[in-house]
């Protein structure tokens, strides 16, 4: 910060500040930090390769507060930017966020799409070695299974 480095400021806002806010459930503060990080990337052209990551993390934070429409637009942009920039590991992250967001916003009707997005994400992870995403993907896959089971229960007419 004292050096005036836009890269350092942007990294601190994402990795440090936004992560801490998300960890402690301060979603609106995390959203503000991620929006500022995105502005820094775009205004100063610094850490452009990380833009898909910031977009995906911002979409995930917005999902936490129920802002599904804006989150959908951001996650779609994150996927596109990941492909455009050739940052497959961030594209994998964005696909994972898209699956989680779709389940939160649309429920059982999104389970099949979420499964495909998670499969595509796993393929990218295998290609890039971004194994740090496998844990979160496993948790989302279990949600897909729960959503599928609940949808089947609802279709069968059984009461919970």
């Amino acid at each position: 910060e004292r050096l005036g480095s836009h890269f350092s400021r942007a990294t601190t806002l994402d990795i440090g500040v936004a992560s801490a806010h998300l960890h402690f459930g301060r979603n609106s503060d995390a959203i503000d930090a991620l929006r500022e990080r995105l502005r820094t990337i775009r205004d100063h052209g610094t850490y452009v390769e990380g833009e898909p990551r910031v977009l995906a993390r911002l979409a995930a934070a917005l999902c936490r507060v129920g802002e599904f429409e804006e989150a959908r637009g951001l996650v779609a942009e994150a996927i596109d930017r990941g492909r455009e920039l050739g940052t497959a590991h961030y594209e994998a992250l964005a696909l994972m966020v898209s699956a989680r967001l779709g389940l939160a916003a649309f429920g059982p009707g999104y389970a099949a799409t979420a499964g495909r997005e998670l499969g595509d994400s796993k393929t990218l992870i295998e290609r890039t070695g971004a194994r740090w995403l496998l844990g979160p993907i496993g948790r989302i896959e279990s949600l897909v299974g729960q959503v599928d089971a609940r949808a089947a229960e609802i279709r069968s007419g059984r009461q919970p």
Side-chain angles (χ1 to χ4, degrees):
E1 181 83 22
R2 281 183 266 134
L3 295 173
S5 165
H6 296 296
F7 177 83
S8 296
R9 180 168 172 72
T11 301
T12 300
L13 285 168
D14 178 18
I15 295 170
V17 177
S19 294
H21 287 315
L22 288 169
H23 177 75
F24 290 107
R26 295 188 300 258
N27 298 315
S28 62
D29 292 332
I31 290 166
D32 290 344
L34 289 164
R35 287 188 196 283
E36 188 174 340
R37 167 100 193 261
L38 190 57
R39 271 192 304 279
T40 300
I41 289 170
R42 291 177 172 173
D43 291 350
H44 300 284
T46 184
Y47 193 52
V48 173
E49 68 276 10
E51 184 179 9
R53 179 181 193 269
V54 176
L55 288 163
R57 293 191 75 213
L58 180 55
L62 288 166
C63 179
R64 286 180 164 199
V65 297
E67 295 291 335
F68 299 128
E69 188 173 325
E70 183 179 0
R72 290 294 307 157
L74 289 170
V75 81
E77 186 179 355
I79 293 166
D80 290 345
R81 284 295 282 159
R83 289 176 182 154
E84 179 183 323
L85 295 170
T87 54
H89 55 297
Y90 292 147
E91 181 185 345
L93 171 66
L95 285 163
M96 180 189 73
V97 170
S98 182
R100 177 67 181 96
L101 172 62
L103 290 171
F106 305 113
Y110 201 81
T113 301
R116 282 191 301 277
E117 288 173 330
L118 293 173
D120 291 348
S121 185
K122 284 173 142 181
T123 299
L124 291 169
I125 289 167
E126 288 302 315
R127 195 172 85 212
T128 64
R131 300 206 185 292
W132 54 276
L133 288 171
L134 289 175
I137 284 178
R139 288 189 291 279
I140 297 169
E141 284 177 326
S142 77
L143 289 175
V144 171
Q146 292 170 19
V147 167
D148 284 343
R150 180 69 179 124
E153 187 176 291
I154 290 167
R155 282 192 302 273
S156 74
R158 283 184 278 149
Q159 296 298 314

